[in-house]
Amino acid sequence: MAEATGTEFWRDLKPIEKVFQKHSLPEMFTPEIATDDERYYVPLSETVGTRPIWISVAQNSWCDVLRSTGPGLVNRHYHPHEVFAYTISGKWGYLEHDWVATAGSFVYETPGEAHTLVAYESDEPMKVHFKVRGPLIWLDENGDAVDFFDVHNYIELCKEHYEKVGIGADYIDALLR
C-alpha cells in the first residue's frame, strides 16, 4: 500500500469488505507494461513486437503494448470491431489518415475501418497500448482479405514465444479473464 501524505483525506475510510462477487475473477495489476525487457515482446516482424497484458477468449479481445524499434510497416488490416489506442512513446499512424500519433495521443478506431499501420522514425521506440476486439483481417496491398488473426492465434503465438524465451507458456494463462 502507498505511504500516507498529509493531503490524503481518504486514509481513514474503511475499504469495502465484499470486493468481488462470488464468481468473479481477480483483478489484474501489471506494473511497467511498456518495459524495455525484450523477452516480453512477442515478435510480429523484425522490428515489431506485442506484449500481451490482458486476454479474453470469450470476447475475442486482448490488450497489448505494440512496440516498433524503428520505422516501417507494421501491417495492413481491417477491423470488424472497435479498437482503442493510447500512445506511450514514439510516432505512428495510418497511411490512410493525415494525423500522426505521439506520446499522449488517443485513437478510437471505428468498426469497419481498414488501414495500413506504420511506425515513423523517432528518437524513441513506438509503444502503443491497444485494446483490440478481434479478429483482425489481414489485407493485401489492394485492400483484399488474405487471412485473419484472432484471440486464438494471439494466444498460441504468445505461448510459443514465452516458452522459447524462458518465461514459460503458462504466463499467458495468468492474463486470461
Side-chain angles (χ1 to χ4, degrees):
M1 179 176 272
E3 290 185 34
T5 68
T7 60
E8 294 174 345
F9 64 89
W10 46 263
R11 285 289 177 175
D12 293 329
L13 294 177
K14 178 183 170 192
I16 297 169
E17 289 182 26
K18 184 182 175 187
V19 177
F20 295 105
Q21 295 298 319
K22 184 177 180 180
H23 301 289
S24 295
L25 293 171
E27 82 284 355
M28 296 178 65
F29 174 77
T30 309
E32 300 182 43
I33 63 169
T35 181
D36 289 323
D37 187 337
E38 297 282 333
R39 298 172 307 145
Y40 285 96
Y41 293 95
V42 179
L44 300 176
S45 73
E46 193 172 303
T47 59
V48 178
T50 174
R51 180 188 180 180
I53 56 176
W54 171 88
I55 301 171
S56 172
V57 175
Q59 295 177 26
N60 197 357
S61 297
W62 63 91
C63 289
D64 72 340
V65 173
L66 187 69
R67 182 182 74 160
S68 182
T69 56
L73 174 69
V74 178
N75 59 45
R76 294 179 192 265
H77 58 272
Y78 167 80
H79 295 283
H81 299 284
E82 64 190 2
V83 172
F84 301 87
Y86 176 78
T87 307
I88 299 165
S89 65
K91 299 189 320 191
W92 67 281
Y94 300 122
L95 295 181
E96 297 75 18
H97 298 294
D98 61 0
W99 51 262
V100 175
T102 57
S105 299
F106 172 78
V107 177
Y108 170 73
E109 301 174 16
T110 61
E113 183 175 348
H115 41 240
T116 309
L117 198 163
V118 296
Y120 292 99
E121 188 171 332
S122 177
D123 292 339
E124 51 190 357
M126 178 201 85
K127 291 182 183 177
V128 183
H129 173 253
F130 279 99
K131 179 177 188 236
V132 177
R133 293 190 61 208
L136 303 177
I137 310 300
W138 299 138
L139 304 174
D140 65 15
E141 64 277 354
N142 298 315
D144 295 322
V146 293
D147 207 350
F148 71 93
F149 187 80
D150 70 5
V151 72
H152 303 285
N153 304 112
Y154 191 61
I155 290 169
E156 188 63 29
L157 182 72
C158 293
K159 282 189 173 224
E160 286 177 19
H161 172 74
Y162 284 163
E163 192 63 33
K164 183 174 144 185
V165 298
I167 292 172
D170 58 343
Y171 177 82
I172 294 302
D173 297 334
L175 304 179
L176 299 175
R177 293 290 185 275

